[in-house]
Amino acid sequence: MDIPRRPGQATRVSDLRASDADRERVAAVLGEALADGRLTLEEHADRTARVYAARTLGELTGLTLDLSPEEAQPILVDDRPVTVFFGRVRRDGRWVVPVKLPLLALFGTVELDLREAVLQRRHIVLDSMVLAGRVRLLVPEGVRVDVTGRTVLSTRELRTRPAAEGPTIEVAGTLVFGSVKARAPKRTLRQRVKGRLRR
């Protein structure tokens, strides 16, 4: 039974609706597991049927947890804070970005690749605490990145191509001796030519 949510109430990440592309991602992983013997024919048939019957991302993620490590999962549904100490942590691929994502970087680097990510809302807040750390964002065409947090001896480099009505990623919180870099993927020659012709 679907429980209606109050206006303005955020949907749980696991309850977000899955797309056909999400189902195909999971089905491909199951196919690989069948081919190399990690799943029997019966297991593969059962899980594949559940893939195409799944309505939410949460239903899909449970079907591959025992087949790949977390970083190799076809879909990552994880709203835990992103934390790094003296190292590097990265989230990429098909993952869900919650409305507010806590981010802690102490002498380390956080890399967030949003090109295939699902934004839970059009305005996402990265609630950051950065001390001598780095935040690196790779965003799709049309996404705006704003740094609104308190910065102390920190740098920012924003090379994005936002659209007037596009989504916004807000880097809030506190940055001390840190840096924020955001960029959109490089355009191909064909894209650059098209952009000039439209002017």
Side-chain angles (χ1 to χ4, degrees), residues 8 42 100 144:
E42 292 78 11
K100 190 172 185 178
R144 177 183 302 280

Side-chain angles (χ1 to χ4, degrees), residues 50-124:
R50 289 159 62 190
V51 163
Y52 291 108
R55 293 187 301 166
T56 67
L57 293 177
E59 291 172 328
L60 285 177
T61 55
L63 298 173
T64 57
L65 290 177
D66 60 344
L67 300 176
S68 303
E70 182 179 18
E71 64 275 9
Q73 287 293 317
I75 302 171
L76 180 61
V77 176
D78 185 2
D79 53 6
R80 293 175 299 175
V82 180
T83 304
V84 61
F85 302 95
F86 295 95
R88 181 186 303 269
V89 65
R90 179 179 176 86
R91 283 192 186 175
D92 59 5
R94 186 68 166 172
W95 65 289
V96 180
V97 187
V99 175
K100 190 172 185 178
L101 179 63
L103 187 157
L104 175 63
L106 302 181
F107 299 93
T109 300
V110 171
E111 297 179 351
L112 303 180
D113 185 341
L114 305 177
R115 289 174 297 173
E116 298 181 36
V118 177
L119 302 183
Q120 197 170 3
R121 284 195 187 158
R122 293 178 64 79
H123 188 151
I124 299 295

Side-chain angles (χ1 to χ4, degrees), residues 109-180:
T109 300
V110 171
E111 297 179 351
L112 303 180
D113 185 341
L114 305 177
R115 289 174 297 173
E116 298 181 36
V118 177
L119 302 183
Q120 197 170 3
R121 284 195 187 158
R122 293 178 64 79
H123 188 151
I124 299 295
V125 177
L126 303 181
D127 188 13
S128 310
M129 177 61 210
V130 178
L131 175 60
R134 296 183 292 270
V135 178
R136 301 290 181 261
L137 306 175
L138 184 57
V139 301
E141 188 100 13
V143 174
R144 177 183 302 280
V145 176
D146 290 332
V147 180
T148 62
R150 180 171 175 261
T151 59
V152 179
L153 297 175
S154 297
T155 62
R156 69 186 75 180
E157 182 181 329
L158 309 178
R159 296 183 178 179
T160 60
R161 293 185 291 276
E165 302 298 326
T168 297
I169 307 297
E170 178 184 354
V171 183
T174 303
L175 295 89
V176 180
F177 298 110
S179 67
V180 176

